Amino acid sequence: MSIRILKKALGLLIVDIVIIIGIFVLQFRTDSNIIKKIGNLQITLEAIDEQSGVIAYKNKARLSYNGINFFFDDQNPAVITKKGVESAVQLRDVQQEEPLSITLNFTEGVKVTFELASEDPASSLAIITDLPDSVSDFSMPYNYSSNMSIVKAEKDSLVLSGKRNAWELAGHAVNTGHFDFTSRNSVATYSIYDANQKFTFDDIIDNPIASLSEYAKTVSQFKRDLINAFETNNVESNITEQVAVSYVAAQAESRKYTNAIENVPESIKKSKQRTYLSAPYFNTLEDMNNNLEKVMKEYERRIAESADRGTFDLFTVHKISDFIYLNPNQTVVKKLLTNAAGADPYNLSIAQISGIIQVYVDLMSLSPDYASILEPILDPSIEKITEACKFEGNILTISENDTFLSVNQAVEIGIALLRYGRLTESETLEKAGYAIVNSYLSESSSFDLRTLSNLYPIVAYNNTFYPHFEKIYDTNGKIIWAWTCAKTIRLEHGVDQDILTIDFPEGDTHYIIMKGIPQFYSIYIYDMAFRTDPRFETYNSSGYVYKKPSETLLLKSRHKTEFEKVRLGYRAPKPAPAVVVETKPAVVENTEETENTAEAPAETEEESNE
């Protein structure tokens, strides 16, 4: 009996001690839990109470939503990569400026926002990062509830199955226990997964990211970024031929062509490594023409090889359509295009598919007969591109084999869809192109100069100031074309003469390699007769050299007016009449000698050129 009483008394004493200790802890502890709820999103934080009334947060948080938990603490920190070195970041502050979102502010200027699409318990959750330029990567740990199981895991997505729904966590890299972000892949999403629901471009045509106005802003900003990057990094080690050409073309759109030419270092203009690409800006047409002819021969070989082997990497070459059109062997060209038309798009890379679409668009203006050969592959190609796209967090991304495409590849696809949509009057595909370009160029201010210059010819595909192939004449197998930066070159064909009208800004000078020009006897520029001169590029006026074997006219065009006319005469000048010499009957025996003194015909332009 006494033992029982003693045990009971001891038990009560222990309870009292626990209560006293609990009261003591509650009275004197300095940290407390803060729980916030936004729909089904629960945020648990730990804060340190300060006398000032300002909440200071511990480096610890947990955000739970429909079976997934995002968390960090000192043992499992959020991590950044800066200049190749990983380091932990600390939570500094928490903000909630919108009812459906909350932002965590970390040290090093990193911000992470968790945002619900709606108040619906099953709405999509977006995780959006804002990283400073110095931070290349950010990651935060995550796990999932015990009642969830993985049903599909890929590099950029994880599908979890629960009692009611399956959910997909999608982002840059999510299958390693951390969800990772970069400045170019700044969004992850967590949303209901429906294996039967497929993305279509129709889903986004009303979204602002797919609008022409947003596209125009994106492209304008991209061009400003290129110009600024050039002018702040204008040292010879940073400037390549491609960088120089992209810069000049971008400036020419703003009527700053001559100034841009002057800003290019002399070492680039005089470089022995230059190619025909920059010939319209920096002269040396004889050398550049030789380079162009070598390149044309090389592409003739590659086109034949690709046709024979049934390979398609050739279609990934930028503007390969020009060389396809100019290839003199029509049988080889048709075989190449027929092979592409009959290929299974699912055996091709997205880059090859994008190239085929671009070739089709280009050939529609160069040779519709060639273009029509490719038609069977176009619709299935669009379908494959569509399947590779995801639209999450208001950004459209493209991946292949669980890997996101590079910016250059994605922009190529966006421009291909945009151009194809305009050609076929498909608003959906045109807007799909806008959405892709807007998504991938939204952070163009962070691109380096070479990336910007490599992207420029893709983005500015319709800027005629960029050196390009210009079709001038194509009738009965006779083709006249030019490598130029002129806006247009028109040909008026006559019986005895041709008139070329070249459109370029008044006062500016450019250089043209023109092919397929028949041998002429006279040439007039500014309505003045000109003679060939190997030093024509050094004079402060227009001038030319003609290459008879290849029917090539190398022309320096210095514009006194916007529309400069070059008149080619094909009628040989009449020989000058012989001088009449009076003779006396007494010296008839000297007639033969007298005839030899008659004036010779004037030297023709043909003889001068030779």
Side-chain angles (χ1 to χ4, degrees):
M1 182 73 176
S2 59
I3 293 175
R4 236 186 346 240
I5 293 173
L6 182 61
K7 286 182 178 180
K8 186 174 182 180
L10 183 59
L12 292 172
L13 178 62
I14 292 172
V15 170
D16 290 340
I17 292 172
V18 171
I19 292 173
I20 291 170
I21 293 173
I23 292 172
F24 182 87
V25 171
L26 288 172
Q27 183 174 357
F28 293 100
R29 74 174 187 166
T30 58
D31 34 291
S32 60
N33 287 337
I34 298 176
I35 299 177
K36 295 177 177 285
K37 289 206 70 177
I38 304 175
N40 266 16
L41 176 64
Q42 179 171 299
I43 305 103
T44 304
L45 304 161
E46 287 194 15
I48 301 172
D49 294 328
E50 295 185 353
Q51 297 298 324
S52 63
V54 177
I55 298 177
Y57 293 93
K58 295 182 68 175
N59 184 44
K60 186 176 183 180
R62 186 180 188 87
L63 299 95
S64 302
Y65 186 68
N66 290 327
I68 198 164
N69 308 299
F70 307 98
F71 66 93
F72 60 87
D73 53 33
D74 290 334
Q75 286 70 45
N76 302 281
V79 175
I80 63 168
T81 301
K82 190 174 182 180
K83 295 182 179 179
V85 178
E86 286 191 356
S87 61
V89 289
Q90 308 289 312
L91 180 65
R92 294 184 59 184
D93 189 19
V94 178
Q95 293 176 304
Q96 187 178 4
E97 298 179 353
E98 300 292 336
L100 296 177
S101 69
I102 188 166
T103 299
L104 308 181
N105 297 315
F106 293 88
T107 53
E108 300 291 344
V110 173
K111 297 182 179 181
V112 182
T113 299
F114 291 78
E115 181 175 343
L116 292 175
S118 71
E119 295 180 353
D120 190 303
S123 69
S124 175
L125 172 69
I127 305 100
I128 307 162
T129 58
D130 183 1
L131 305 180
D133 293 341
S134 59
V135 174
S136 60
D137 187 88
F138 169 82
S139 67
M140 181 186 290
Y142 75 90
N143 59 29
Y144 49 91
S145 303
S146 58
N147 63 348
M148 303 284 280
S149 60
I150 297 176
V151 295
K152 182 181 179 183
E154 297 178 350
K155 179 181 178 181
D156 60 351
S157 68
L158 184 74
V159 178
L160 301 169
S161 179
K163 292 181 179 179
R164 295 183 180 179
N165 295 310
W167 290 77
E168 180 180 26
L169 177 64
H172 174 56
V174 297
N175 62 342
T176 58
H178 288 72
F179 64 103
D180 294 350
F181 298 90
T182 68
S183 58
R184 298 182 187 179
N185 297 280
S186 59
V187 178
T189 59
Y190 185 65
S191 55
I192 288 180
Y193 175 75
D194 182 356
N196 297 319
Q197 182 178 358
K198 292 184 177 181
F199 167 82
T200 68
F201 291 126
D202 289 317
D203 298 336
I204 62 168
I205 60 173
D206 294 326
N207 192 290
I209 201 171
S211 68
L212 174 59
S213 60
E214 192 65 26
Y215 171 78
K217 292 178 185 176
T218 297
V219 172
S220 294
Q221 183 60 51
F222 167 81
K223 292 177 180 178
R224 286 194 295 270
D225 291 335
L226 168 65
I227 293 169
N228 291 337
F230 182 95
E231 294 180 347
T232 56
N233 296 277
N234 190 9
V235 293
E236 292 183 12
S237 59
N238 293 331
I239 309 301
T240 63
E241 181 182 26
Q242 181 62 64
V243 167
V245 168
S246 293
Y247 168 71
V248 172
Q251 286 285 58
E253 287 188 287
S254 302
R255 309 289 293 194
K256 297 178 181 178
Y257 169 80
T258 299
N259 180 258
I261 295 288
E262 293 172 352
N263 285 345
V264 174
E266 287 297 317
S267 60
I268 300 298
K269 299 175 187 177
K270 298 177 180 178
S271 172
K272 297 296 183 182
Q273 306 303 316
R274 273 183 53 222
T275 69
Y276 74 93
L277 172 64
S278 58
Y281 299 154
F282 306 136
N283 63 48
T284 61
L285 290 184
E286 296 238 24
D287 290 339
M288 297 301 98
N289 177 56
N290 292 336
N291 174 255
L292 174 58
E293 290 181 346
K294 288 179 182 178
V295 171
M296 293 180 67
K297 289 293 184 183
E298 173 62 15
Y299 276 119
E300 284 182 25
R301 182 193 67 79
R302 291 183 61 181
I303 288 170
E305 184 178 88
S306 182
D308 288 341
R309 296 182 178 180
T311 58
F312 306 101
D313 282 343
L314 190 66
F315 287 93
T316 66
V317 175
H318 185 66
K319 299 299 289 183
I320 189 61
S321 49
D322 297 340
F323 297 99
I324 291 174
Y325 167 69
L326 293 172
N327 192 302
N329 192 328
Q330 294 187 11
T331 301
V332 167
V333 169
K334 289 178 180 178
K335 183 177 181 181
L336 173 76
L337 300 177
T338 301
N339 289 345
D344 182 349
Y346 290 89
N347 292 330
L348 302 179
S349 69
I350 293 180
Q352 291 169 338
I353 286 173
S354 171
I356 290 172
I357 294 172
Q358 293 253 39
V359 167
Y360 173 80
V361 174
D362 288 335
L363 289 180
M364 279 300 293
S365 60
L366 297 174
S367 174
D369 289 342
Y370 278 167
S372 64
I373 297 173
L374 291 172
E375 289 177 355
I377 198 174
L378 298 177
D379 287 343
S381 293
I382 299 295
E383 184 177 343
K384 179 173 179 178
I385 292 174
T386 305
E387 291 177 2
C389 293
K390 283 187 179 180
F391 185 70
E392 296 167 332
N394 206 37
I395 291 178
L396 199 159
T397 58
I398 311 173
S399 60
E400 185 173 30
N401 300 324
D402 299 331
T403 302
F404 284 106
L405 297 188
S406 68
V407 173
N408 285 55
Q409 289 178 315
V411 173
E412 282 271 20
I413 293 167
I415 295 298
L417 291 178
L418 184 163
R419 297 183 65 205
Y420 181 71
R422 288 179 176 176
L423 177 68
T424 60
E425 299 182 346
S426 169
E427 180 186 21
T428 298
L429 293 180
E430 183 178 346
K431 289 192 169 187
Y434 295 152
I436 294 171
V437 175
N438 287 333
S439 296
Y440 278 85
L441 293 187
S442 61
E443 301 295 332
S444 62
S445 59
S446 66
F447 298 171
D448 61 33
L449 178 57
R450 294 200 179 187
T451 299
L452 290 164
S453 65
N454 289 334
L455 281 166
Y456 185 82
I458 304 171
V459 176
Y461 68 92
N462 55 354
N463 177 12
T464 56
F465 287 110
Y466 190 89
H468 62 278
F469 162 87
E470 179 81 4
K471 174 183 172 181
I472 300 173
Y473 179 86
D474 185 353
T475 302
N476 298 325
K478 176 64 176 178
I479 298 176
I480 299 175
W481 61 277
W483 182 249
T484 181
C485 62
K487 184 176 181 180
T488 59
I489 302 177
R490 297 194 306 271
L491 175 69
E492 297 175 45
H493 186 56
V495 176
D496 296 324
Q497 69 174 10
D498 285 342
I499 299 176
L500 295 161
T501 303
I502 305 167
D503 184 353
F504 201 70
E506 181 181 344
D508 288 340
T509 299
H510 63 113
Y511 303 83
I512 305 171
I513 299 174
M514 209 172 298
K515 297 284 189 178
I517 299 294
Q519 181 181 345
F520 50 86
Y521 288 93
S522 62
I523 181 169
Y524 284 78
I525 308 173
Y526 320 131
D527 287 327
M528 296 170 55
F530 273 69
R531 285 193 179 277
T532 187
D533 188 333
R535 298 169 298 173
F536 73 103
E537 292 175 318
T538 65
Y539 300 137
N540 190 28
S541 67
S542 295
Y544 80 98
V545 160
Y546 180 73
K547 300 291 185 180
K548 178 181 175 181
S550 60
E551 293 191 321
T552 300
L553 175 63
L554 306 179
L555 178 68
K556 177 182 179 181
S557 186
R558 185 176 184 274
H559 283 245
K560 291 184 177 180
T561 62
E562 179 179 354
F563 296 96
E564 181 172 286
K565 293 185 181 294
V566 177
R567 180 156 52 90
L568 305 175
Y570 295 111
R571 176 180 291 178
K574 294 180 180 180
V579 177
V580 178
V581 180
E582 294 184 3
T583 59
K584 296 180 180 180
V587 290
V588 172
E589 64 275 4
N590 293 327
T591 301
E592 181 179 352
E593 180 180 350
T594 303
E595 289 176 349
N596 288 336
T597 67
E599 184 177 308
E603 181 184 36
T604 67
E605 197 68 45
E606 173 190 357
E607 292 165 341
S608 175
N609 290 335
E610 295 176 340

